Amino acid sequence: MPGRAELVAHYAESTCRDVSAFRWYQVLACFRVAALLEGGYARALAGKMNRKLGDGLHAYAGWLWAKAGQEMERA
């Protein structure tokens, strides 16, 4: 299985697109998905969704926030 760098390089070669800002887009994606997951968690807290599932979404959102932070530090 190719790694992230190999996939990005393949994408750049295949599409002739500039991927120099890839890390920025990766951080943005982490933030956006985390925000969506937190919406699910809010629904669970309001009793509109299974609480156990909501807790799982919240935990994964926290992991994504941390991942975004790590990627920003690497930039």
Side-chain angles (χ1 to χ4, degrees):
M1 191 72 181
R4 182 186 325 162
E6 293 169 303
L7 288 172
V8 171
H10 177 72
Y11 175 79
E13 288 175 28
S14 299
T15 64
C16 297
R17 292 188 178 186
D18 178 20
V19 294
S20 60
F22 177 77
R23 188 171 312 261
W24 185 89
Y25 287 105
Q26 182 177 357
V27 169
L28 177 63
C30 287
F31 281 127
R32 291 183 75 180
V33 172
L36 290 171
L37 295 175
E38 286 295 280
Y41 178 59
R43 286 179 48 84
L45 292 177
K48 297 179 180 179
M49 192 169 104
N50 179 286
R51 178 63 188 258
K52 187 174 179 181
L53 177 60
D55 289 343
L57 294 175
H58 181 61
Y60 191 61
W63 181 86
L64 283 170
W65 288 112
K67 179 68 173 168
Q70 290 171 356
E71 290 299 323
M72 287 188 302
E73 288 174 3
R74 291 178 51 190

